[in-house]
Amino acid sequence: MRNSTELIDPLLLLTIRLGRIVMGRMYDKLNKEDQHLMGPHLGVLSDLYQKDGVRQQDLAISSFKDKATITRSLKLLEREELVLRTADPIDKRTKRIYITPKGRKVYQAILPLGQETIAEAKAGIAEEELKTCESVLQKMYNNLSK
């Protein structure tokens, strides 16, 4: 009789496990740095660091999170003074989200921890293999984000 992991595509299993272990290591490092942000919060800061002043609903779409998760994340980030929500100047019903200077500073402190974690994951893997892996993962991401 086959066990349940034999029924799961190995790529699916590995991507789930890799995501969990990377986030686990990040949380460990964040706690050492006295940061208590969780995955959704880090994703929001990352998105805003790259493109500031986005609409709240666009942030939900780009981060693949539902509106409720984004709203909860923004409330915490706002309370910590890492982001600022303001009314859109054209459509007052819409909120624009901005990363604050404090939010930029926190993100800049977190970024090296992520880079360190990925460097640990890449250890002993040839550059050509990493390029192939990145290319394949990008294509898979593109297929699912259409």
Side-chain angles (χ1 to χ4, degrees), residues 61-125:
I61 292 166
S62 71
S63 63
F64 296 99
K65 303 290 183 210
D66 60 68
K67 291 178 187 178
T69 299
I70 289 296
T71 299
R72 284 191 303 273
S73 294
L74 290 174
K75 283 182 182 179
L76 180 136
L77 292 169
E78 226 176 0
R79 198 169 43 246
E80 297 288 324
E81 300 178 344
L82 302 177
V83 302
L84 177 66
R85 283 191 279 190
T86 63
D88 185 286
I90 297 168
D91 181 358
K92 301 293 184 201
R93 299 168 298 169
T94 300
K95 297 284 187 188
R96 293 272 176 183
I97 315 301
Y98 297 90
I99 191 169
T100 64
K102 181 180 177 183
R104 287 189 177 281
K105 185 177 176 183
V106 167
Y107 184 76
Q108 288 168 346
I110 291 170
L111 190 57
L113 301 177
Q115 291 169 328
E116 180 183 308
T117 302
I118 292 301
E120 291 170 21
K122 292 176 168 182
I125 302 172

